[in-house]
Amino acid sequence: MALRHAVLAALLDEELSGYQLAKAFRTGVANFWHASPQQLYAELAKLEAEGLITGREVVQETRPTKRVFRVTEPGLALLEKFTAAETRPSVIRDDLLVKVQAADHVDTAHLIDRLAERAEFAETKIRLFESLLLGMRGERAEDEYLRRGERIGPYLTCLRGLEFERANLAWYERATRVLHERRTTRDHR
Amino acid sequence: MALRHAVLAALLDEELSGYQLAKAFRTGVANFWHASPQQLYAELAKLEAEGLITGREVVQETRPTKRVFRVTEPGLALLEKFTAAETRPSVIRDDLLVKVQAADHVDTAHLIDRLAERAEFAETKIRLFESLLLGMRGERAEDEYLRRGERIGPYLTCLRGLEFERANLAWYERATRVLHERRTTRDHR
DNA sequence: AGGCCCATGTAATCTGTTACATGATTCC
DNA sequence: GGAATCATGTAACAGATTACATGGGCCT
């Protein structure tokens, strides 16, 4: 039941449509939760039925009419309660880590390709996060923004996302180096 | 369908029972995947039925008899195929990040408590990972072990887990500092 | 005597993914 | 003319969590 809280948290700062939410939640952008469009449309419908958010039609000339949502008082109260409640430990589930775990028993040539793909992906995300952070803090220095800026929640989660991807990239590069070295030394034996 | 690959990868280095696997996969130990005991028992049964692993009874004097499993040839072949195949991007799903995202709109006193809990948890994991790594490499230096050691897969994934927890801890501490500062400056206004 | 660890599961429910469906507009 | 974006869903299925069930041995 945490998806609903993630949706509420995402709608705190701005009214968004299901489509816009989906864009924010798709892999690579949302730095605090991930969800598919189908999940989001379903969750929005449930949240609205329970009165935790309210929708409002926005007619556009060139684009289809959309419905944007904002959090209601009961919705904010629910989030408040959620934030105070116990936090469950986060879990790791990553295909690529499974593959590296098995590295000693399988051919590593393809694995090195997978690592390269991910490294490229990580680089893209790093650039994206850096520009998002810059957009939020503007001219201000980071510490100054965190002391006195408004909306530091999104800034902090984005910062975590950035550091996560930087660490990923460093690890991908190291793993690649190690696997490559071992391949060449083995081949020349 | 990735749980099965994670199980296969875990069984590569040693024969394990369902119970032992569950211990390795419970939150806090498995550094490449997470799964509950129920999931694991079910998956082991399926894998055995499909001939990807084989079980063997081990009678113990003081403990109940257990069944330990090892990967078969077809199982290894499946893992090989999996490792070569496309890797799907990993997704983030963390309660605590959702809570921090909402930090500007809710009372942060409880949130600071949650951050402290997680920080303590992270410290425990860091110590655990450090001793696991030391246990694997023994007397050797890290780079030397990664160059010539056997079983570097588990070492690399453990290394990623360690760095992940270190980054978590640093971020928890920073977020706590920021939220605390903002509370006190607001209170004295 | 009570609680924890070892050891293995079943059943019900909830969550998440994949495939399918529709239709207009904008960009190349 | 074809692909991508905007905009919103339904339906079937796969994956994961929670609650329940059982039973012996070890430790305090």
Side-chain angles (χ1 to χ4, degrees):
Chain A
M1 277 287 216
L3 172 60
R4 58 190 322 135
H5 305 117
V7 170
L8 290 171
L11 292 177
L12 283 174
D13 293 315
E14 43 183 348
E15 287 187 313
L16 292 171
S17 67
Y19 189 84
Q20 289 173 301
L21 251 194
K23 234 171 59 174
F25 272 78
R26 81 165 165 237
T27 313
V29 180
N31 32 54
F32 60 101
W33 201 264
H34 167 265
S36 65
Q38 293 82 354
Q39 263 183 294
L40 292 169
Y41 281 114
E43 196 61 50
L44 285 172
K46 271 192 256 171
L47 286 168
E48 195 184 18
E50 293 172 43
L52 302 168
I53 58 174
T54 39
R56 177 174 72 82
E57 284 222 329
V58 175
V59 182
Q60 303 170 110
E61 325 91 67
T62 165
R63 294 287 177 201
T65 298
K66 63 182 175 182
R67 300 196 68 220
V68 295
F69 298 89
R70 60 179 184 76
V71 181
T72 61
E73 275 305 314
L76 186 59
L78 183 71
L79 242 191
E80 182 85 44
K81 211 177 117 199
F82 169 72
T83 305
E86 288 242 322
T87 292
R88 61 181 60 183
S90 70
V91 296
I92 308 162
R93 281 195 181 114
D94 188 340
D95 270 15
L96 190 52
L97 285 174
V98 173
K99 293 175 184 185
V100 171
Q101 174 81 19
D104 305 304
H105 302 264
V106 299
D107 178 31
T108 54
H110 297 294
L111 182 49
I112 289 170
D113 295 342
R114 303 291 150 252
L115 284 164
E117 284 166 7
R118 274 288 185 90
E120 207 179 320
F121 187 70
E123 278 169 4
T124 305
K125 275 182 101 170
I126 288 169
R127 281 192 295 271
L128 174 64
F129 286 146
E130 281 173 342
S131 76
L132 283 175
L133 290 170
L134 191 62
M136 282 190 264
R137 71 170 179 265
E139 296 297 303
R140 286 162 287 190
E142 190 161 90
D143 285 330
E144 166 61 18
Y145 178 73
L146 286 172
R147 258 195 297 276
R148 278 181 272 278
E150 61 310 323
R151 282 191 289 182
I152 56 145
Y155 196 93
L156 284 170
T157 55
C158 193
L159 208 54
R160 184 69 194 95
L162 174 62
E163 273 153 33
F164 178 65
E165 288 304 337
R166 280 181 179 158
N168 271 340
L169 183 59
W171 184 80
Y172 297 150
E173 285 170 350
R174 183 167 194 192
T176 301
R177 218 159 43 233
V178 167
L179 294 178
H180 189 74
E181 249 179 51
R182 290 171 69 95
R183 283 184 71 80
T184 52
T185 56
R186 190 193 51 195
D187 291 348
H188 290 280
R189 192 158 44 185
Chain B
M1 277 288 216
L3 171 60
R4 60 190 322 132
H5 304 115
V7 170
L8 290 171
L11 291 175
L12 283 174
D13 293 314
E14 41 185 349
E15 286 188 314
L16 293 171
S17 67
Y19 189 84
Q20 291 173 300
L21 251 194
K23 235 172 57 175
F25 271 79
R26 80 165 166 236
T27 313
V29 180
N31 32 53
F32 60 100
W33 200 265
H34 168 267
S36 65
Q38 292 83 354
Q39 264 183 292
L40 292 169
Y41 281 114
E43 196 61 49
L44 284 172
K46 270 191 259 174
L47 285 169
E48 195 183 19
E50 293 172 44
L52 302 168
I53 59 174
T54 38
R56 178 173 71 82
E57 284 224 329
V58 175
V59 182
Q60 304 171 108
E61 324 90 70
T62 165
R63 296 287 178 198
T65 299
K66 64 182 176 183
R67 301 194 69 221
V68 295
F69 299 89
R70 59 178 185 77
V71 181
T72 62
E73 275 305 315
L76 186 59
L78 183 71
L79 242 192
E80 183 84 45
K81 212 178 117 199
F82 170 72
T83 305
E86 288 242 321
T87 293
R88 58 183 59 186
S90 71
V91 297
I92 308 162
R93 280 195 182 116
D94 188 342
D95 269 17
L96 190 52
L97 286 174
V98 174
K99 293 175 184 184
V100 172
Q101 175 80 18
D104 305 304
H105 302 266
V106 300
D107 179 30
T108 54
H110 297 295
L111 182 50
I112 288 170
D113 295 342
R114 302 291 150 253
L115 284 163
E117 284 166 8
R118 274 285 187 92
E120 208 179 320
F121 187 71
E123 278 169 2
T124 305
K125 275 183 99 169
I126 288 169
R127 281 192 297 270
L128 175 64
F129 286 147
E130 281 173 343
S131 76
L132 283 175
L133 289 171
L134 191 62
M136 282 190 264
R137 72 170 179 265
E139 296 296 303
R140 285 161 288 189
E142 189 161 90
D143 284 331
E144 167 59 18
Y145 179 74
L146 286 172
R147 258 195 297 275
R148 277 180 272 278
E150 61 311 325
R151 281 191 288 183
I152 55 145
Y155 196 93
L156 284 170
T157 55
C158 193
L159 209 52
R160 184 68 195 94
L162 174 62
E163 273 153 33
F164 178 65
E165 289 304 337
R166 281 181 178 159
N168 272 341
L169 183 59
W171 184 79
Y172 297 151
E173 286 170 350
R174 182 166 196 194
T176 302
R177 218 160 44 233
V178 167
L179 294 178
H180 189 74
E181 249 181 51
R182 289 171 70 94
R183 284 185 70 80
T184 51
T185 56
R186 191 192 51 195
D187 292 347
H188 291 281
R189 193 155 46 183

